[in-house]
């Protein structure tokens, strides 16, 4: 984690850089990253046990804002989700800086002594821009290969849609207990905070209905037992 030279108003870090190993792992590209154009494998003879690593830089606090809208009056219809990635140019500038930070990291001793510090980049894009040095190249790279990490939050902000006990305003007996109630996205992965919200929501329900904690009277069907 680190803080860029032009961070948003949030006081925490706005960049996270993860590390993945085995660059020849096709499942990583096709399954997790959903890359249709896997230039890395096209340009190199890599296998699942190839040695190497991938740096995965992440913008933690995007200035760009998307929206979620109803598609129709049908409650079962999927909503319309418009992420609007890179709608704000400051996100582009922060993205370029974080990519250059990755290059800086791999060129540092002792890492540079163990690996080739030159990144594997799409040759057609380098040809298009004349080199990989310009901001125009890195903006093109961002727009072509940036992906979501599936950490959505804040669509039902506490204080806006739900109250302090996570009850939806205006709809009796309905609560929302997940990452959507966060006022804004956190500086990091959302898994642990979502578990915390679930635990707190459980406590609120127990308190509101005068239930006994740590008591479960539910017996799962016999066919489930093999999975427990």
């Amino acid at each position: 984690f680190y803080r860029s030279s032009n961070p948003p108003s949030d006081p925490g870090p706005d960049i996270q850089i993860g590390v993945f190993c085995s660059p020849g792992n096709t499942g990583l590209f096709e399954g997790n990253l959903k890359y249709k154009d896997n230039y890395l494998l096209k340009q190199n003879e890599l296998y699942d046990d190839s040695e190497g690593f991938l740096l995965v830089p992440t913008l933690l606090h995007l200035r760009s804002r998307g929206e979620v809208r109803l598609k129709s009056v049908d409650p079962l219809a999927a909503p319309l989700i418009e992420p609007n990635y890179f709608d704000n140019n400051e996100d582009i500038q922060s993205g370029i800086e974080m990519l250059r930070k990755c290059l800086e990291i791999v060129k540092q001793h002792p890492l540079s002594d163990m690996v080739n510090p030159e990144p594997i980049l799409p040759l057609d894009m380098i040809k298009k821009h004349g080199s990989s040095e310009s901001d125009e190249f890195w903006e093109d790279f961002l727009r072509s290969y940036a992906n979501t990490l599936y950490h959505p939050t804040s669509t039902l902000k506490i204080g806006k849609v739900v109250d302090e006990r996570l009850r939806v305003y205006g709809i009796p007996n309905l609560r929302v207990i997940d990452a959507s109630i966060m006022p804004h996205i956190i500086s990091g992965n959302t898994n642990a905070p979502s578990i915390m919200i679930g635990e707190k929501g459980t406590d609120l329900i127990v308190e509101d209905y005068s239930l006994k904690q740590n008591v479960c009277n539910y017996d799962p069907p016999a066919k489930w037992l093999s999975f427990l």
Side-chain angles (χ1 to χ4, degrees), residues 123-131 140 144:
L123 296 178
D124 56 343
M125 197 173 290
I126 293 175
K127 182 178 180 180
K128 173 183 174 182
H129 294 279
S131 74
D140 196 356
S144 299

PDB file of all heavy atoms in Angstrom, residues 123-131 140 144:
ATOM      1  N   LEU A 123       3.185  -5.871 -27.797  1.00  0.00           N
ATOM      2  CA  LEU A 123       4.038  -5.324 -28.846  1.00  0.00           C
ATOM      3  C   LEU A 123       3.267  -4.439 -29.815  1.00  0.00           C
ATOM      4  O   LEU A 123       3.806  -3.439 -30.311  1.00  0.00           O
ATOM      5  CB  LEU A 123       4.704  -6.476 -29.609  1.00  0.00           C
ATOM      6  CG  LEU A 123       5.665  -7.351 -28.782  1.00  0.00           C
ATOM      7  CD1 LEU A 123       6.222  -8.482 -29.645  1.00  0.00           C
ATOM      8  CD2 LEU A 123       6.800  -6.512 -28.203  1.00  0.00           C
ATOM      9  N   ASP A 124       2.015  -4.791 -30.099  1.00  0.00           N
ATOM     10  CA  ASP A 124       1.237  -3.977 -31.032  1.00  0.00           C
ATOM     11  C   ASP A 124       0.975  -2.587 -30.453  1.00  0.00           C
ATOM     12  O   ASP A 124       0.953  -1.585 -31.184  1.00  0.00           O
ATOM     13  CB  ASP A 124      -0.073  -4.662 -31.390  1.00  0.00           C
ATOM     14  CG  ASP A 124      -0.921  -4.998 -30.172  1.00  0.00           C
ATOM     15  OD1 ASP A 124      -0.381  -4.998 -29.040  1.00  0.00           O
ATOM     16  OD2 ASP A 124      -2.132  -5.266 -30.346  1.00  0.00           O
ATOM     17  N   MET A 125       0.832  -2.497 -29.144  1.00  0.00           N
ATOM     18  CA  MET A 125       0.606  -1.199 -28.508  1.00  0.00           C
ATOM     19  C   MET A 125       1.882  -0.372 -28.504  1.00  0.00           C
ATOM     20  O   MET A 125       1.851   0.845 -28.683  1.00  0.00           O
ATOM     21  CB  MET A 125       0.078  -1.400 -27.080  1.00  0.00           C
ATOM     22  CG  MET A 125      -0.561  -0.168 -26.463  1.00  0.00           C
ATOM     23  SD  MET A 125      -1.329  -0.523 -24.862  1.00  0.00           S
ATOM     24  CE  MET A 125      -2.728  -1.525 -25.376  1.00  0.00           C
ATOM     25  N   ILE A 126       3.024  -1.035 -28.285  1.00  0.00           N
ATOM     26  CA  ILE A 126       4.314  -0.329 -28.350  1.00  0.00           C
ATOM     27  C   ILE A 126       4.531   0.222 -29.760  1.00  0.00           C
ATOM     28  O   ILE A 126       4.964   1.370 -29.934  1.00  0.00           O
ATOM     29  CB  ILE A 126       5.461  -1.273 -27.956  1.00  0.00           C
ATOM     30  CG1 ILE A 126       5.348  -1.659 -26.476  1.00  0.00           C
ATOM     31  CG2 ILE A 126       6.814  -0.616 -28.230  1.00  0.00           C
ATOM     32  CD1 ILE A 126       6.377  -2.681 -26.033  1.00  0.00           C
ATOM     33  N   LYS A 127       4.221  -0.578 -30.761  1.00  0.00           N
ATOM     34  CA  LYS A 127       4.364  -0.136 -32.155  1.00  0.00           C
ATOM     35  C   LYS A 127       3.445   1.042 -32.442  1.00  0.00           C
ATOM     36  O   LYS A 127       3.829   2.005 -33.119  1.00  0.00           O
ATOM     37  CB  LYS A 127       4.050  -1.303 -33.095  1.00  0.00           C
ATOM     38  CG  LYS A 127       4.217  -0.960 -34.565  1.00  0.00           C
ATOM     39  CD  LYS A 127       3.930  -2.178 -35.435  1.00  0.00           C
ATOM     40  CE  LYS A 127       4.086  -1.842 -36.911  1.00  0.00           C
ATOM     41  NZ  LYS A 127       3.803  -3.019 -37.773  1.00  0.00           N
ATOM     42  N   LYS A 128       2.256   1.009 -31.902  1.00  0.00           N
ATOM     43  CA  LYS A 128       1.274   2.075 -32.124  1.00  0.00           C
ATOM     44  C   LYS A 128       1.775   3.409 -31.577  1.00  0.00           C
ATOM     45  O   LYS A 128       1.599   4.458 -32.210  1.00  0.00           O
ATOM     46  CB  LYS A 128      -0.046   1.695 -31.454  1.00  0.00           C
ATOM     47  CG  LYS A 128      -1.101   2.779 -31.451  1.00  0.00           C
ATOM     48  CD  LYS A 128      -2.342   2.314 -30.697  1.00  0.00           C
ATOM     49  CE  LYS A 128      -3.365   3.428 -30.546  1.00  0.00           C
ATOM     50  NZ  LYS A 128      -4.559   2.977 -29.759  1.00  0.00           N
ATOM     51  N   HIS A 129       2.420   3.389 -30.406  1.00  0.00           N
ATOM     52  CA  HIS A 129       2.849   4.623 -29.753  1.00  0.00           C
ATOM     53  C   HIS A 129       4.325   4.937 -29.957  1.00  0.00           C
ATOM     54  O   HIS A 129       4.797   5.984 -29.514  1.00  0.00           O
ATOM     55  CB  HIS A 129       2.548   4.552 -28.256  1.00  0.00           C
ATOM     56  CG  HIS A 129       1.084   4.512 -27.938  1.00  0.00           C
ATOM     57  ND1 HIS A 129       0.292   5.638 -27.909  1.00  0.00           N
ATOM     58  CD2 HIS A 129       0.258   3.468 -27.665  1.00  0.00           C
ATOM     59  CE1 HIS A 129      -0.953   5.304 -27.604  1.00  0.00           C
ATOM     60  NE2 HIS A 129      -1.003   3.994 -27.457  1.00  0.00           N
ATOM     61  N   GLY A 130       5.050   4.033 -30.602  1.00  0.00           N
ATOM     62  CA  GLY A 130       6.458   4.266 -30.858  1.00  0.00           C
ATOM     63  C   GLY A 130       7.373   3.793 -29.747  1.00  0.00           C
ATOM     64  O   GLY A 130       8.554   3.530 -29.978  1.00  0.00           O
ATOM     65  N   SER A 131       6.873   3.690 -28.535  1.00  0.00           N
ATOM     66  CA  SER A 131       7.626   3.190 -27.392  1.00  0.00           C
ATOM     67  C   SER A 131       6.648   2.984 -26.245  1.00  0.00           C
ATOM     68  O   SER A 131       5.452   3.235 -26.374  1.00  0.00           O
ATOM     69  CB  SER A 131       8.726   4.179 -26.970  1.00  0.00           C
ATOM     70  OG  SER A 131       8.160   5.292 -26.303  1.00  0.00           O
ATOM     71  N   ASP A 140      -3.356   4.142 -22.755  1.00  0.00           N
ATOM     72  CA  ASP A 140      -3.901   3.117 -23.640  1.00  0.00           C
ATOM     73  C   ASP A 140      -3.872   1.754 -22.957  1.00  0.00           C
ATOM     74  O   ASP A 140      -4.835   0.972 -23.011  1.00  0.00           O
ATOM     75  CB  ASP A 140      -3.089   3.082 -24.938  1.00  0.00           C
ATOM     76  CG  ASP A 140      -3.806   2.339 -26.060  1.00  0.00           C
ATOM     77  OD1 ASP A 140      -4.902   1.788 -25.824  1.00  0.00           O
ATOM     78  OD2 ASP A 140      -3.261   2.312 -27.184  1.00  0.00           O
ATOM     79  N   SER A 144      -7.129  -0.492 -21.865  1.00  0.00           N
ATOM     80  CA  SER A 144      -7.257  -1.789 -22.543  1.00  0.00           C
ATOM     81  C   SER A 144      -7.250  -2.969 -21.583  1.00  0.00           C
ATOM     82  O   SER A 144      -7.929  -3.970 -21.823  1.00  0.00           O
ATOM     83  CB  SER A 144      -6.128  -1.970 -23.563  1.00  0.00           C
ATOM     84  OG  SER A 144      -6.173  -0.971 -24.555  1.00  0.00           O
TER      85      SER A 144
END
